């Protein structure tokens, strides 16, 4: 994982979502052909699903660890599976839904991260990455949107 430790964790997450949504704004013209990258197929709906799933998965991890609980393992099919829903046209309404969903998830992350002290960010309880590292890892979720790129 490549991280920039000086980057504000909340900004890493909100910036990632801004990047994804900027690309998603060009996907309403998608022709229905999945993009094939690294032995996986990507579509607009799949990219949005994967970004949202990644945000939810690691948020559940962060919250469990803060509560002193063991994080529940996820059971996502991840990017290995392309569903029928992933293949649907990506409409303006879908874009509006994605904007609402991802912006709100990023805001939840930013609020939580901004409430943590520097020590909590860097000496996070439980097993796994620190919370700062988790936030910087989430920035890599741009991968899913970048797989499709700008379709304008």
């Amino acid at each position: 994982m490549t991280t920039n430790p000086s980057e504000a964790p909340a900004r890493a997450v909100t910036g990632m979502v801004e990047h994804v949504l900027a690309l998603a704004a060009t996907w309403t013209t998608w022709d229905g052909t999945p993009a094939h990258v690294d032995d996986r197929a990507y579509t607009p709906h799949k990219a949005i699903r994967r970004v949202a799933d990644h945000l939810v998965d690691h948020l559940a991890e962060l919250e469990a660890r803060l509560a002193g609980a063991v994080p529940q393992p996820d059971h996502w099919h991840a990017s290995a599976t392309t569903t029928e829903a992933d293949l649907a046209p990506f409409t303006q309404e879908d874009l509006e839904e994605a904007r609402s969903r991802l912006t709100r998830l990023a805001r939840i992350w930013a609020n939580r991260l901004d409430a943590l002290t520097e020590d909590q960010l860097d000496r996070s309880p439980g097993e796994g990455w620190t919370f700062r590292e988790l936030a910087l890892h989430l920035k890599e979720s741009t991968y899913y949107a970048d797989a499709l790129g700008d379709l304008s």
Side-chain angles (χ1 to χ4, degrees):
M1 168 178 52
T2 303
T3 62
N4 175 0
S6 68
E7 182 172 16
R11 183 66 193 133
V13 175
T14 58
M16 176 274 292
V17 166
E18 290 167 6
H19 175 82
V20 168
L21 291 174
L23 289 175
T26 72
W27 297 344
T28 57
T29 61
W30 179 59
D31 68 4
T33 305
H36 293 275
V37 178
D38 296 334
D39 84 338
R40 306 275 165 105
Y42 293 95
T43 69
H45 285 288
K46 185 174 182 177
I48 295 298
R49 173 173 60 84
R50 289 304 307 134
V51 170
D53 290 353
H54 208 197
L55 287 164
V56 168
D57 181 37
H58 286 301
L59 183 61
E61 175 188 356
L62 179 147
E63 292 296 336
R65 289 171 55 196
L66 280 173
V70 175
Q72 180 179 4
D74 75 70
H75 298 287
W76 306 121
H77 292 290
S79 59
T81 299
T82 302
T83 69
E84 287 290 322
D86 291 336
L87 298 170
F90 191 77
T91 66
Q92 186 64 36
E93 291 81 12
D94 294 317
L95 175 60
E96 291 165 9
E97 292 287 320
R99 281 184 179 136
S100 181
R101 182 177 299 110
L102 295 184
T103 300
R104 291 180 77 194
L105 278 168
R107 180 65 0 226
I108 292 168
W109 264 100
N111 290 342
R112 169 47 90 188
L113 291 167
D114 285 344
L116 297 175
T117 66
E118 292 295 312
D119 190 59
Q120 287 173 308
L121 288 168
D122 294 323
R123 296 179 190 270
S124 309
E127 299 279 325
W129 289 330
T130 68
F131 296 152
R132 181 183 312 276
E133 290 170 328
L134 270 182
L136 297 177
H137 165 70
L138 285 171
K139 185 176 178 179
E140 297 172 2
S141 294
T142 58
Y143 172 87
Y144 304 113
D146 290 339
L148 280 168
D150 184 330
L151 299 181
S152 55

